[in-house]
Amino acid sequence: MIAISCTVTLLLGGCAALSVKEDNLPVDVVISRAEQLIMAKAYAAAAEEYVVIIRMEPTIGSHYLRRAEVLERIDEDKEAHSTYERGLEMVPEDDPDQLELMHRLALVDANHLFKLDEAEELLTRLPARSIEKLDLAAFLYYQASQYNEAIELLNKALEKVRDADQKALLLYHAALIYVKLEDEKNTFGSLYFAINNAEHLGLIRDIEQLWQELNEIPEGADTIPKF
């Protein structure tokens, strides 16, 4: 049992198996402990707790998504990439979390790790006309400087949007495009919604970075207003 646990943890991308003690508490207690650390902004410690949680329940997609989200918040994008990849391997193919795992992995690849070939391969695996596919295709068009095509796809995705955080992601991507188009009104209009509705910790990190760039604010300063 210990050998299996160590293997799973090592495949998540580090040597945490040697440093994280086995935890015999119920999994919901460990999740509560991890979430308290997140509330306290102790993100690195929370990510380690999720190593334990994943070891306890290795086929639950939400655990991989949450761990990777926390890692994105602290710029550990390579480790987040490994976590998303491991989730795709371990979570059943018919699990709804597979879709978000693919989408988030592709965005980390395209936006932070410069793995465009991998992001494009993941694009082919996303369901046709899904919000996730439209969003990723739009982001890849943005990176290819095909801004009109990107905006068109984002508008199609916005027609299907299901929740505020998802809409915030789409509008953050729209803001990136409007920056390139030098459209200040739509840049800040898109960011207005994204800033006030983003919940995903990786998205919040990305919005903060864009806000700093637009306002030339030194990194590390308190930068994101709530309108």
Side-chain angles (χ1 to χ4, degrees):
M1 184 66 177
I2 293 175
I4 293 172
S5 298
C6 290
T7 300
V8 170
T9 307
L10 286 169
L11 285 169
L12 284 169
C15 298
L18 300 177
S19 60
V20 178
K21 293 181 180 180
E22 293 291 339
D23 200 311
N24 295 320
L25 294 172
V27 67
D28 59 334
V29 173
V30 187
I31 291 172
S32 176
R33 189 167 65 192
E35 292 301 315
Q36 287 173 9
L37 287 167
I38 292 170
M39 289 180 64
K41 299 185 178 180
Y43 299 118
E48 290 301 294
E49 292 287 357
Y50 268 98
V51 171
V52 177
I53 294 162
I54 288 170
R55 187 161 59 236
M56 292 170 143
E57 295 184 335
T59 62
I60 303 299
S62 59
H63 300 337
Y64 296 93
L65 288 166
R66 189 59 163 162
R67 179 172 193 263
E69 176 186 353
V70 171
L71 289 166
E72 285 189 58
R73 186 66 180 89
I74 53 175
D75 300 322
E76 293 288 347
D77 294 304
K78 289 183 179 179
E79 185 73 6
H81 172 276
S82 297
T83 302
Y84 286 131
E85 275 197 329
R86 188 58 180 161
L88 285 174
E89 293 173 6
M90 297 297 294
V91 176
E93 289 187 4
D94 59 352
D95 192 300
D97 284 334
Q98 278 275 341
L99 180 59
E100 187 171 357
L101 285 163
M102 280 192 281
H103 185 212
R104 294 292 178 181
L105 173 59
L107 290 178
V108 168
D109 285 344
N111 199 18
H112 296 288
L113 298 180
F114 309 105
K115 295 177 178 284
L116 292 180
D117 289 345
E118 185 172 321
E120 289 172 359
E121 190 276 329
L122 287 164
L123 179 66
T124 67
R125 296 165 57 187
L126 291 169
R129 297 182 295 279
S130 65
I131 292 174
E132 292 78 9
K133 185 159 194 150
L134 291 167
D135 177 56
L136 179 57
F139 193 83
L140 293 172
Y141 272 131
Y142 152 73
Q143 291 196 314
S145 301
Q146 294 179 261
Y147 304 129
N148 291 333
E149 293 86 345
I151 289 294
E152 182 180 348
L153 289 178
L154 286 176
N155 283 333
K156 288 180 180 179
L158 284 166
E159 293 173 1
K160 300 170 176 279
V161 74
R162 295 187 294 267
D163 58 61
D165 187 63
Q166 192 174 58
K167 187 175 181 181
L169 176 63
L170 297 173
L171 289 176
Y172 160 69
H173 290 160
L176 292 173
I177 297 165
Y178 288 128
V179 169
K180 295 295 185 181
L181 293 173
E182 299 183 353
D183 183 339
E184 185 173 321
K185 179 179 178 181
N186 278 315
T187 294
F188 286 95
S190 298
L191 275 180
Y192 175 89
F193 187 94
I195 287 168
N196 286 288
N197 290 274
E199 296 178 2
H200 187 276
L201 297 171
L203 175 58
I204 291 169
R205 180 271 306 263
D206 291 340
I207 292 171
E208 286 179 351
Q209 290 178 350
L210 179 58
W211 187 263
Q212 287 169 351
E213 292 169 13
L214 293 175
N215 293 277
E216 297 182 350
I217 298 170
E219 189 173 351
D222 254 345
T223 60
I224 300 292
K226 289 290 185 181
F227 295 103

